[in-house]
Amino acid sequence: MFKIRRSEDKGLVTFAFSGRIQEEHLPELQKLLEVETQAKSTAITLDLVDVRLVDREAIRFLATCEAQGIMLKNCPSYVREWIETGRGYKQ
């Protein structure tokens, strides 16, 4: 199961994710982020506090988001490690 909640406060848009982030969810996430960046010039944060599992493509997606200036909040330590070391998504 995967859920997304959107909130906005003082120009900061936060998408709170819960459950498992898998490759099948990425097109929806990319579309949400594209719409948000086109609509406004607001800062975007992805809150991962309730994320339980991510697959290889999700790690790649999160690393790309962060490289584009999107903040990852409450990122699980294993996800942070995989992003920083490239483990789980480099071929």
Side-chain angles (χ1 to χ4, degrees):
M1 180 171 60
F2 177 64
K3 292 185 181 182
I4 305 168
R5 291 182 320 270
R6 182 192 180 279
S7 62
E8 186 172 352
D9 184 37
K10 299 177 185 173
L12 174 64
V13 173
T14 300
F15 289 101
F17 300 156
S18 61
R20 297 177 177 197
I21 306 175
Q22 297 174 305
E23 184 175 7
E24 65 193 56
H25 304 121
L26 300 182
E28 178 184 0
L29 295 177
Q30 290 170 333
K31 186 174 182 178
L32 284 173
L33 295 177
E34 286 173 13
V35 168
E36 204 62 55
T37 55
Q38 291 174 1
K40 305 174 188 175
S41 59
T42 58
I44 299 173
T45 298
L46 305 181
D47 188 346
L48 309 177
V49 70
D50 292 324
V51 169
R52 299 295 166 235
L53 185 67
V54 295
D55 67 11
R56 179 179 298 198
E57 291 303 315
I59 293 289
R60 183 178 291 152
F61 171 78
L62 293 171
T64 300
C65 287
E66 194 168 51
Q68 294 172 346
I70 295 173
M71 187 175 105
L72 303 182
K73 181 179 176 183
N74 298 311
C75 187
S77 59
Y78 77 94
V79 172
R80 171 60 50 212
E81 179 183 341
W82 289 357
I83 289 171
E84 290 176 1
T85 64
R87 187 175 142 206
Y89 70 91
K90 284 189 180 175
Q91 298 187 31

